[in-house]
Each structure stands twice: as C-alpha cells, then as structure tokens.
Amino acid sequence: MAGTNQIQTLSVEASTEHLAKVRDFVAAHAESIGLSQKDISEIRLAVDEAYTNIIKHAYKNSPTEKVSIEIGSDAKKLWISLMDEGKSFDPNTYSEPDLMQRIKEKKRGGMGVYLIKKVMDQVQYNRTGKTNEIRMVKKL
Amino acid sequence: MKNFSIATRQNENVSILDISGELDAHTASHLENALKSLIDEESYAIIVNCSGLDYIASAGLGVFMAYIEDVRSLGGDIKLTNMNDRVYNVFDLLGFPTLYDILEDEREALQSFDN
C-alpha cells in the first residue's frame, strides 16, 4: 500500500527447525502488501539463506542463541534485517561460486550469499557493538 | 518431517525419488540419506521427480552437488524432472542447467537413461 510504513519483528532461536516459520513470516508481510508470487518466492529464499548462514556460521549450530528478524516496507521498497550476536561475516572474504569447481571439490556451501545478491537489490552488513546485521532491500 | 517427504520407486533399473514439500537446511538430510542408500545399493541411475517440490534453498542444491560426481564416475547419473518455475529458477540462478540433466518429465528421463 503506497504511503504506508509497516514494520514487523520476529525473534527466533537459531535452529533450522524454525526455517519454515521464518519464511512464512516474511511471506505473510510480502503478501499483505500485494507483492507478486515471484517476488514473494525470492524474499522467502533470501531470508532462508541469511538465517541459515547465521545458524551455521555466526552461531555454529548452537540452537539456544537468538536471531531477530525485522521486515518493513514503504511505497518504494521492502527491507529485511536479521540480527545476531555471533561471529561476524566479512563480506570481503566472499567470492562468487564456481559451480563446476565446487562439485569437483565436493564443497556444497557458499552459495547462499550469491543467491541473496541475485534476488535482492541491495545487501549490507553492519556490526554495531556485539550485534551483526544483514540488511536486504528489494525495490518495489 | 512435516514439510518435506520422499518416496523411492523402481522402474526396471532406474530408481526414482519422488520429493515433495520444502527442501531447506532442515530437510536436506532426508534427501541426502535417500541418495546415500541408493548409492550403497549400487543403484546409480537415479531420477529425482520434483513435481511435489514447492521450494528449494541452497542447502537442497548442495545435496545434488555432493553426489553427482560419484554417481557419474560409477556410470550413472542423477536426472531431475518435473520442476515448477519457482524451483527451476533457483537451480538456474546457480547455473545448474548446464551441468545437470533437468528434464520436463519422468518419461523423458527414463528414455535418456535407455539411450
């Protein structure tokens, strides 16, 4: 809805058990503002990849840690932020995955950030004090 | 697992995995175990029928990446069929269509194993 500015938040434990809930949370917001099925699918994928990376890399699979997720939108954009207090991610260490190479080396990770960048228009990493934030923006 | 299910069928010497629901970092181990069992049983001609698959994240793609080399080196293949557009789009974003046999339907995949 043009001119509205809605923000919703969700706090979840860092466990893959909650992936479906996290995807449904952002999809519900995207649906409520009338986004297309394609956009909704892409937003579900972006939040899934960001949350999975936090579980695996920031918190190294310790399921009692917490992740805060915020989604908001206005007439021009939709944004999603995920916040954690784990190990921070250095975006400078990231390189675009070469699928053939990864298959040969039997590496299966490292594709999440690439997918996020493909489906969202803007991705930023911030660290304030102990808190890491990944903020992803989709233009509407 | 509530939001993902998998079943195995046999068509002569080809094993077919019917997967449905959502394939993510939580459910990927389910697919991984099914693929491992087939390989342990020396079934290397594998079709993964994705007609019931509503969603895939990179953790799901990772399972296909982990086993394709082994299966091919043993003379088999993992062919993927019946994907909806949203699921295909994720495979496509990572360049899978150039390295994997992704086919419209199961019949086509069975025929390509025959040849």
Side-chain angles (χ1 to χ4, degrees):
Chain A
M1 282 171 277
T4 58
N5 193 334
Q6 325 173 6
I7 296 175
Q8 286 165 298
T9 57
L10 176 73
S11 176
V12 279
E13 287 175 338
S15 163
T16 56
E17 224 177 283
H18 304 302
L19 268 165
K21 180 163 97 182
V22 166
R23 289 195 299 267
D24 290 347
F25 167 69
V26 295
H29 182 99
E31 222 159 272
S32 75
I33 60 166
L35 294 198
S36 68
Q37 283 306 313
K38 180 173 184 285
D39 283 343
I40 295 170
S41 296
E42 292 182 346
I43 287 161
R44 287 170 71 94
L45 181 64
V47 78
D48 178 317
E49 299 293 347
Y51 178 57
T52 299
N53 278 344
I54 292 172
I55 294 167
K56 291 191 173 165
H57 304 297
Y59 287 137
K60 311 249 182 252
N61 300 305
S62 45
T64 52
E65 301 286 355
K66 283 275 191 316
V67 182
S68 302
I69 302 163
E70 181 183 297
I71 184 165
S73 55
D74 60 24
K76 291 187 178 157
K77 63 183 185 302
L78 173 142
W79 68 91
I80 304 168
S81 278
L82 290 92
M83 280 147 286
D84 67 78
E85 294 191 351
K87 186 172 174 284
S88 63
F89 171 69
D90 177 2
N92 297 318
T93 61
Y94 162 80
S95 61
E96 211 170 282
D98 176 335
L99 185 62
M100 178 94 87
Q101 194 63 32
R102 277 175 199 253
I103 288 172
K104 289 214 181 310
E105 291 170 0
K106 296 201 168 32
K107 283 185 183 164
R108 57 171 93 182
M111 297 179 299
V113 175
Y114 179 74
L115 283 176
I116 294 170
K117 288 187 172 183
K118 281 276 189 182
V119 298
M120 300 299 276
D121 293 301
Q122 211 187 324
V123 184
Q124 280 179 333
Y125 293 89
N126 304 306
R127 186 169 172 99
T128 316
K130 279 188 188 167
T131 306
N132 304 305
E133 178 189 14
I134 173 173
R135 182 181 161 91
M136 308 178 284
V137 179
K138 195 167 188 74
K139 290 179 192 153
L140 303 180
Chain B
M1 252 164 265
K2 187 164 65 71
N3 60 344
F4 182 74
S5 66
I6 188 160
T8 311
R9 290 182 278 138
Q10 200 68 26
N11 186 310
E12 294 177 2
N13 61 337
V14 180
S15 300
I16 301 160
L17 294 177
D18 289 299
I19 60 174
S20 55
E22 300 186 320
L23 191 51
D24 60 20
H26 194 58
T27 58
S29 59
H30 217 35
L31 172 64
E32 177 147 14
N33 292 339
L35 277 175
K36 267 192 206 156
S37 306
L38 290 180
I39 295 166
D40 288 347
E41 293 160 11
E42 300 182 3
S43 299
Y44 306 128
I46 300 166
I47 294 173
V48 180
N49 185 322
C50 304
S51 65
L53 190 65
D54 298 318
Y55 174 83
I56 190 161
S58 69
L61 301 176
V63 177
F64 295 114
M65 291 167 67
Y67 293 98
I68 191 80
E69 280 278 283
D70 288 349
V71 168
R72 283 183 179 162
S73 70
L74 293 162
D77 201 1
I78 301 172
K79 295 174 190 281
L80 307 162
T81 71
N82 301 75
M83 279 180 200
N84 73 36
D85 291 347
R86 293 188 309 277
V87 167
Y88 180 79
N89 186 40
V90 182
F91 279 91
D92 194 31
L93 284 170
L94 283 163
F96 271 67
T98 56
L99 297 172
Y100 288 75
D101 222 358
I102 301 179
L103 300 156
E104 275 299 309
D105 60 31
E106 201 180 295
R107 190 180 42 84
E108 234 180 289
L110 285 168
Q111 279 169 358
S112 72
F113 270 122
D114 279 344
N115 296 329

